[in-house]
Amino acid sequence: MDENMSYYISISMMKSLFLLISCIYCAQSPKKTGVEVLIMNQYDSIQYSDIRLTSNSEKLKNLVDQSRKLNYTPGIIKGVILLQSYATRQGDYELSEKYGNQAEKMASADKDYNSLSLITINKANTAIGLGLLSEAKEMIRRNKPNADKIPNKADKARYLANSYLMLSGIYSRLKKNDSLIYYVKKSLDVMETVPVRELTELQKAKYYHLYIYQLMNMGIICLERKTPPDPVLAESYIQRALKFSKTYPQYFKLCDIEVYETASYIYLKKKQYEKSIYFGEKALKIERTKRKPEERLSIYNDLKETYKALKNETEELKYLKLYTNLSDSIKNAQKMTVIDQSRKEINKIKTETQNQSSKNNLKISLIAIISILIIVMVSWIYNRKKNNAYRKRNDELITKLKNQEREKELNIEKNVVTSNNIMYSETEKKLLKKLKTFEDSGKFLKSEISLNYLASQFKTNATYLSQIINNHKSQNFNNYINSLRMKYITDKLYNEKKYREYKISYLAQECGYASSQVFVNAFKNEHGVTPSYFIKNLTKEGQLEHGM
């Protein structure tokens, strides 16, 4: 989980926003007829069975249509707001805006301040999704007069908690960790003031679901966003979330996999490996029935890292294979979605152009065939030359690795001579020492590492640190980090046989790259060959004996 934790926290925060958006609706309405009560009950039933509002859009549309036929305004408003939330969650921001404007017009005429507040929150959430963070903050600020007019105490408290949660999501995107932590705490504090007894059963389910989810989020934040990380505080938050499995099991089960997986991760970071394995296996057991592949992927990663720390290579390799296979499966599913959409577009184009003359079609086909033949011939010639060049570069790399111990000694002697001839300032000496510690620590493997981040850790400014790296490493910052990562992964591949069994996607994550292609390009730029070619030749030729 920690390899892409910034992304994970952002996604987790967005999930929380959707949860609270779906549960804040509790408008007080006049006495309803039997049919109107039935419509509202059906809305509740949909939300109860799909608490995150990820499906059932057609059922919502049908209920809105029924409400329109009855001229039942609260039913129309509620349905359109839920459709607005659904569209936002699906990333269809244009449709979300359309629904929001419809609902806003009716809620204004009806003076339904609770609905107006919720519509604004949905619009702010859309703005966050589009990266318009300043606009989202301004929407929340402008909505305060509507919020102040909400008559129901529970609704008002939940709206306030929602606003704080929305702000925490904004600051998470901005990577302003102090503000993120502040607003998540404020959200939790306000949620604790909500008069739970006044809530309906559906509202209680959503309230506790969100409350547990936010406690879980705080556990992650204490480890990944707090400076310094506070694993003890992280454990206290996850333990508070876990208690609901006994006090309110009917609500806890709505997010049990996520909580158990987070507990597994936190205990991994605390080096309490038995507990980490216990909660990881508990999450896996539940996931078999609920089928949540993204959560299963995180669990596999936690268990892999736990067994790696325990030096249990058999179990580590088992979960590594499960992790990489599932990761590839998820990526393939996403690709297939894109391909399906592309096919639809192609079929559409075919339909639009089906009246073109066969002569033009034949000409296009012949041109395409000739082009393909030319490409194949050029590729064959290019690949033949490339293979010869690859073989030469790969041999050079193997030779370099074989002699690396001697090279280290030579470098040390060279550095000693150099250092005797150059006078460094005290500040420069301290930074060079910190850079050496940084190189030895392996922190360059973190995907979020940046010049500004490292400068803040060294308590210096980014410009000066960049100058030091340029002068003493003969590289800019990005090349410096890439070279450290490449040396790390090349040494691992050369010295530890198990790394040659890993998939490229995992090797990329292992040394801090979010994209496999970026990793492959970096490896090729550094060594002149792709990692796949290097691994293939290491395995084939048996260049190394230690570690086998």
Side-chain angles (χ1 to χ4, degrees), residues 190-382:
V190 173
M191 287 189 72
E192 289 171 358
T193 70
V194 173
V196 182
R197 292 180 182 177
E198 297 178 17
L199 305 180
T200 66
E201 186 58 30
L202 171 63
Q203 290 159 357
K204 285 180 182 178
K206 291 179 177 179
Y207 168 82
Y208 282 113
H209 186 193
L210 180 68
Y211 190 29
I212 295 167
Y213 216 95
Q214 278 299 84
L215 290 170
M216 178 191 77
N217 277 345
M218 274 302 294
I220 299 170
I221 290 167
C222 287
L223 282 178
E224 299 299 334
R225 295 294 187 91
K226 201 170 186 301
T227 306
D230 192 338
V232 175
L233 187 58
E235 182 183 18
S236 71
Y237 277 107
I238 200 63
Q239 283 296 333
R240 285 172 63 186
L242 287 166
K243 282 181 182 177
F244 285 95
S245 65
K246 295 180 179 178
T247 55
Y248 293 103
Q250 70 273 34
Y251 306 131
F252 180 82
K253 69 180 181 181
L254 297 171
C255 53
D256 47 10
I257 296 175
E258 291 89 341
V259 177
Y260 288 139
E261 188 274 322
T262 301
S264 176
Y265 172 72
I266 288 172
Y267 283 113
L268 166 62
K269 290 300 181 182
K270 291 196 76 194
K271 299 183 180 180
Q272 295 182 20
Y273 301 123
E274 294 304 319
K275 285 187 177 181
S276 179
I277 292 169
Y278 169 77
F279 284 112
E281 290 179 344
K282 201 173 180 68
L284 277 182
K285 184 177 179 181
I286 299 170
E287 196 278 335
R288 290 188 191 104
T289 59
K290 289 192 174 182
R291 299 293 180 186
K292 293 186 175 183
E294 289 83 3
E295 297 299 333
R296 195 189 334 148
L297 189 68
S298 294
I299 299 163
Y300 285 159
N301 191 55
D302 293 343
L303 289 170
K304 169 180 66 66
E305 292 300 318
T306 301
Y307 283 115
K308 182 178 181 180
L310 290 170
K311 302 188 185 307
N312 185 335
E313 288 196 7
T314 302
E315 290 297 305
E316 178 194 351
L317 192 57
K318 168 188 166 183
Y319 283 106
L320 170 67
K321 288 179 178 178
L322 288 169
Y323 174 85
T324 52
N325 288 338
L326 180 58
S327 178
D328 289 345
S329 176
I330 291 172
K331 288 175 183 176
N332 287 336
Q334 292 170 343
K335 287 179 183 177
M336 286 308 299
T337 300
V338 174
I339 290 170
D340 287 342
Q341 291 173 345
S342 298
R343 282 174 178 166
K344 289 178 182 178
E345 290 299 318
I346 290 169
N347 289 332
K348 182 180 178 182
I349 292 170
K350 284 181 178 179
T351 302
E352 292 173 351
T353 60
Q354 64 184 352
N355 295 324
Q356 289 182 345
S357 67
S358 58
K359 183 179 178 180
N360 288 337
N361 288 336
L362 179 60
K363 186 184 293 185
I364 292 169
S365 298
L366 287 172
I367 291 170
I369 290 168
I370 292 168
S371 299
I372 290 169
L373 286 173
I374 292 170
I375 291 169
V376 169
M377 289 178 66
V378 171
S379 297
W380 181 80
I381 295 169
Y382 171 76

Side-chain angles (χ1 to χ4, degrees), residues 480-496:
Y480 169 61
I481 295 298
N482 279 334
S483 65
L484 291 175
R485 290 172 173 176
M486 287 302 105
K487 184 179 184 309
Y488 168 84
I489 203 66
T490 307
D491 287 346
K492 288 291 185 184
L493 289 168
Y494 187 72
N495 292 305
E496 297 185 37

Side-chain angles (χ1 to χ4, degrees), residues 108-121:
S108 296
D110 216 37
K111 295 185 179 179
D112 183 350
Y113 298 110
N114 189 35
S115 292
L116 285 170
S117 297
L118 180 54
I119 293 161
T120 301
I121 288 295

